[in-house]
Amino acid sequence: MTSTFILASLIEPSVGLIFWTTITFVLLLILLGKFAWKPILSAIKTREKGIEDALASAESALKDMRELKSNNEKILAEARNERDALLKEARDTKEAIIAEAKAKSQSEADRILASAREQIINEKNAAVAELKNQVASLSIEIAEKILRSELSSDEKQKALVNNLMKDVNLN
Amino acid sequence: MTNKINIFRKFSGVYLAVFALFFMVSTSLSASEPQEDGVIAQEGNGAHVVDPHAKGGKEKVNISEVAFEHILDSHSWHLWGEHEHAVSIPLPVILKTNNGIVFFMSSEFHHDVHGKVVVERNGERFVNFEEKIYYASADTNEHGQYLQTSTGAKGEIEVSNAAVLDFSITKNVTQMLFSAILLLLIFTSIAKAYKKHGVTSAPKGKQSFFEPLIVFVRDDIAKGNIGAGSDKYVPYLLTVFFLILINNVFGLIPIGANLTGNIAFTLVLATFTLIIVNINGNKNYWSHIFLPHAPKAIWPILIPIEIVGILTKPFALMIRLFANIAAGHIIVISLIGLIFIFESYAISPVSVAFALFIDVLECLVAFLQAYIFTMLTALFIGSAVADHNEDGMHTTDDDHLVEAKH
């Protein structure tokens, strides 16, 4: 077998093989196309579509959940705000009540104090007046008693006159 | 050879190394060629002549013959043994003769490929010479062959007998039919698995091995190169891809046939690609060929070039696959052949190591060439069905730019 002959048979396509390859290939193409590629490709496509759908629905579920969560947070925040407002109001009311009570009690106390002071003054005045009267009557009594004792005898009358006379300067 | 080298240049790195090796081997092959005449020139211990058929005489193996026997088609499926001791599976020989169709088993040639055994049917006589069937001559020539041979100017043997139109189920046809049946079984069972398990469950077994490949062909090869409307071509691309792949892999098995390294097979596939590309070629595709965007003065040069271009693309597809696979097989057999050329066991570790390396590389090439053939087919289809020509593309690009700027 010489190399030129080999090379010739290597690059010379044989009619028989061309014939059988054509038939086999066409049959293979038709049969595989109908019984293999069509169902396989459609199955893969269906699966991919399924996966895509699942992913999309998961995505939308996630979105819904996120929305729900944000809604919840909003509601929570609102509730918190409301609670704060309520608390604040309560505190304000409490303070107002306390302030009012304080003011009321203060004024009552002031009033009581004032009336007490007035009463005290009145009592004091009355007492002072009474005391004055008593002192006056006492003084008169004393004075009477003193006069009585001073003027009980002649010597005493004379001594008094003398005494008085001593004080009088004889100028 | 130069054609082959041109094709391989695309895969420079590794192939350069491989080719350096290949040429080294082929030089040693040609050194052993003089034995053709049954004469052996022993190198080293002085030239002496031995009759290869003489008892006790060592018969030197002609590696180039062995290599080409392995890569060429054959009428029987050779398993082991040589000449009359060969064990092979006989395959049907189908001949279209002048008197109609003739059918017999290849075993009737008794392993003869030198035109020495005549098979007679319906008064017609046939001989097998180098796996080609000829009408036998009435008498033998000086070599005992029923052929009229002459030696050409370059020393080649020329057979002047008429060749018979040969539609035999050869080794390559057998493997092709086998692989086609295997592909049908594999993929219909996968299709059934989808039907049975539904599409919601994860793929199992075969399904999980082939599904990524199918999806790869559909998405990366078809959609990537054709774009919109690629679905129509996916079945063709898948069939081509898997038929080439499975036969590339079978070719790597030692007793397998070298179908994808046979030019007739690649010719048919390339022709289908040629037909599909040109049937689906749209207005832009044809206007690009017959009304090129160039001054009218150079149309007489351009149009013939474009028309030739229609054929060169699939032609390159045909040569690329054939040459890559055939060359890979030649290299492996040549490396193993080194043992017989040097007639020494000492060389076998080197041979085996290199052959293993090339075999592993061939595993890659099996996938790579199936991919390249399919990808280029998709690319050619893509360029034939593309919506706009180059000028149109530029304007749309500019429009997008303008839009983007706004």
Side-chain angles (χ1 to χ4, degrees):
Chain A
M1 201 190 248
T2 57
S3 23
T4 31
F5 193 88
I6 290 164
L7 205 63
S9 45
L10 191 62
I11 59 167
E12 182 195 299
S14 76
V15 179
L17 191 54
I18 291 175
F19 172 77
W20 290 113
T21 306
T22 310
I23 289 179
T24 314
F25 186 73
V26 169
L27 280 176
L28 192 66
L29 195 60
I30 293 167
L31 291 175
L32 277 181
K34 194 164 188 301
F35 297 111
W37 305 138
K38 208 173 154 197
I40 291 173
L41 288 170
S42 76
I44 291 174
K45 197 164 259 178
T46 314
R47 162 143 22 94
E48 276 168 358
K49 207 174 167 296
I51 291 170
E52 232 163 69
D53 288 352
L55 279 176
S57 70
E59 187 76 26
S60 79
L62 198 74
K63 214 177 123 203
D64 285 355
M65 216 186 69
R66 226 174 258 147
E67 227 163 65
L68 211 70
K69 210 175 152 193
S70 78
N71 265 359
N72 281 353
E73 261 162 26
K74 216 158 86 193
I75 289 167
L76 233 113
E78 262 170 30
R80 208 174 288 129
N81 285 345
E82 208 165 316
R83 186 198 64 182
D84 287 350
L86 277 174
L87 275 175
K88 196 169 173 285
E89 209 175 312
R91 210 177 292 126
D92 288 353
T93 318
K94 179 192 81 180
E95 268 159 21
I97 288 167
I98 290 170
E100 203 185 338
K102 249 186 203 161
K104 228 180 199 171
S105 60
Q106 190 67 46
S107 71
E108 189 72 11
D110 285 353
R111 199 179 54 79
I112 289 166
L113 221 65
S115 77
R117 207 172 281 135
E118 204 178 325
Q119 216 169 345
I120 288 166
I121 290 165
N122 288 345
E123 295 285 331
K124 191 185 87 184
N125 288 351
V128 168
E130 205 184 307
L131 205 64
K132 265 181 187 163
N133 288 342
Q134 273 182 359
V135 168
S137 62
L138 223 64
S139 319
I140 292 166
E141 246 173 76
I142 291 165
E144 195 187 290
K145 274 180 185 160
I146 291 168
L147 279 176
R148 257 178 231 268
S149 68
E150 285 293 316
L151 301 171
S152 57
S153 61
D154 292 346
E155 290 100 75
K156 277 185 184 180
Q157 279 172 8
K158 267 181 194 166
L160 185 65
V161 172
N162 288 343
N163 230 6
L164 286 171
M165 286 315 254
K166 264 195 242 171
D167 288 346
V168 179
N169 283 344
L170 295 166
N171 34 12
Chain B
M1 278 305 201
T2 36
N3 260 347
K4 262 194 236 173
I5 293 160
N6 279 335
I7 291 147
F8 284 125
R9 198 164 284 163
K10 292 183 176 170
F11 308 99
S12 46
V14 178
Y15 270 112
L16 248 156
V18 169
F19 252 82
L21 208 74
F22 179 46
F23 279 115
M24 196 186 81
V25 171
S26 43
T27 336
S28 32
L29 289 182
S30 43
S32 64
E33 256 175 24
Q35 71 187 68
E36 295 278 320
D37 313 319
V39 173
I40 295 168
Q42 283 273 49
E43 285 163 16
N45 31 346
H48 61 268
V49 176
V50 180
D51 181 5
H53 300 296
K55 274 249 166 173
K58 269 203 290 177
E59 193 181 340
K60 198 164 179 179
V61 184
N62 183 343
I63 301 303
S64 70
E65 195 174 319
V66 171
F68 282 104
E69 254 174 38
H70 274 84
I71 64 161
L72 288 176
D73 205 358
S74 156
H75 282 86
S76 61
W77 199 307
H78 179 238
L79 298 176
W80 59 81
E82 290 303 322
H83 305 299
E84 56 271 19
H85 306 298
V87 176
S88 59
I89 301 166
L91 299 170
V93 176
I94 301 165
L95 302 172
K96 169 82 181 70
T97 68
N98 303 330
N99 299 343
I101 301 210
V102 172
F103 175 90
F104 57 90
M105 296 306 281
S106 68
S107 50
E108 298 204 19
F109 283 121
H110 299 290
H111 307 298
D112 170 61
V113 289
H114 301 295
K116 289 174 183 169
V117 176
V118 175
V119 174
E120 207 170 333
R121 279 287 183 289
N122 305 339
E124 284 171 314
R125 302 163 73 243
F126 311 102
V127 286
N128 182 345
F129 182 68
E130 310 294 15
E131 294 300 352
K132 256 183 118 168
I133 311 289
Y134 294 94
Y135 289 105
S137 311
D139 298 306
T140 57
N141 62 7
E142 67 271 27
H143 301 296
Q145 301 166 315
Y146 290 91
L147 290 164
Q148 302 290 314
T149 55
S150 58
T151 310
K154 289 176 189 165
E156 74 269 28
I157 298 166
E158 281 168 0
V159 178
S160 44
N161 293 47
V164 190
L165 209 49
D166 187 355
F167 290 102
S168 302
I169 307 295
T170 58
K171 188 179 174 183
N172 277 341
V173 176
T174 312
Q175 179 172 298
M176 184 170 54
L177 294 173
F178 176 69
S179 64
I181 289 166
L182 197 65
L183 284 177
L184 277 171
L185 288 177
I186 291 172
F187 288 108
T188 48
S189 85
I190 290 176
K192 267 193 209 108
Y194 279 110
K195 258 183 210 143
K196 196 175 157 198
H197 301 299
V199 289
T200 47
S201 64
K204 276 186 218 153
K206 284 198 294 287
Q207 231 181 328
S208 59
F209 177 76
F210 285 106
E211 195 187 299
L213 288 175
I214 294 169
V215 172
F216 173 73
V217 171
R218 190 196 61 176
D219 291 349
D220 292 69
I221 297 180
K223 205 168 275 171
N225 291 304
I226 302 171
S230 65
D231 284 357
K232 198 172 122 191
Y233 306 101
V234 172
Y236 173 72
L237 296 173
L238 281 169
T239 311
V240 167
F241 180 79
F242 284 109
L243 186 63
I244 293 175
L245 179 62
I246 198 170
N247 280 299
N248 280 349
V249 172
F250 280 157
L252 288 176
I253 301 168
I255 56 162
N258 175 35
L259 177 63
T260 43
N262 189 300
I263 201 157
F265 177 78
T266 61
L267 170 80
V268 173
L269 292 190
T271 309
F272 274 102
T273 293
L274 172 77
I275 293 166
I276 286 175
V277 167
N278 288 290
I279 277 181
N280 292 291
N282 60 13
K283 213 177 75 194
N284 286 316
Y285 172 73
W286 292 113
S287 79
H288 192 78
I289 291 165
F290 292 108
L291 308 161
H293 297 281
K296 285 211 165 61
I298 57 168
W299 277 20
I301 307 164
L302 265 186
I303 292 173
I305 290 174
E306 290 284 355
I307 291 169
V308 171
I310 297 173
L311 291 171
T312 52
K313 286 177 198 166
F315 187 79
L317 274 185
M318 170 181 87
I319 298 291
R320 183 180 296 109
L321 180 58
F322 151 71
N324 268 288
I325 304 302
H329 289 210
I330 292 170
I331 293 165
V332 171
I333 293 159
S334 304
L335 284 168
I336 296 297
L338 281 178
I339 301 168
F340 299 95
I341 290 166
F342 288 103
E343 293 189 318
S344 156
Y345 291 118
I347 197 80
S348 56
V350 180
S351 273
V352 170
F354 272 104
L356 181 65
F357 168 70
I358 299 298
D359 261 332
V360 173
L361 189 71
E362 285 300 302
C363 288
L364 171 73
V365 171
F367 278 87
L368 191 68
Q369 288 304 322
Y371 165 67
I372 289 175
F373 194 101
T374 319
M375 194 269 288
L376 287 177
T377 296
L379 196 70
F380 297 153
I381 294 171
S383 68
V385 301
D387 268 341
H388 35 60
N389 52 26
E390 277 169 48
D391 291 343
M393 240 157 80
H394 285 308
T395 46
T396 44
D397 280 353
D398 289 346
D399 287 347
H400 286 307
L401 272 178
V402 171
E403 273 171 37
K405 272 179 190 166
H406 289 301

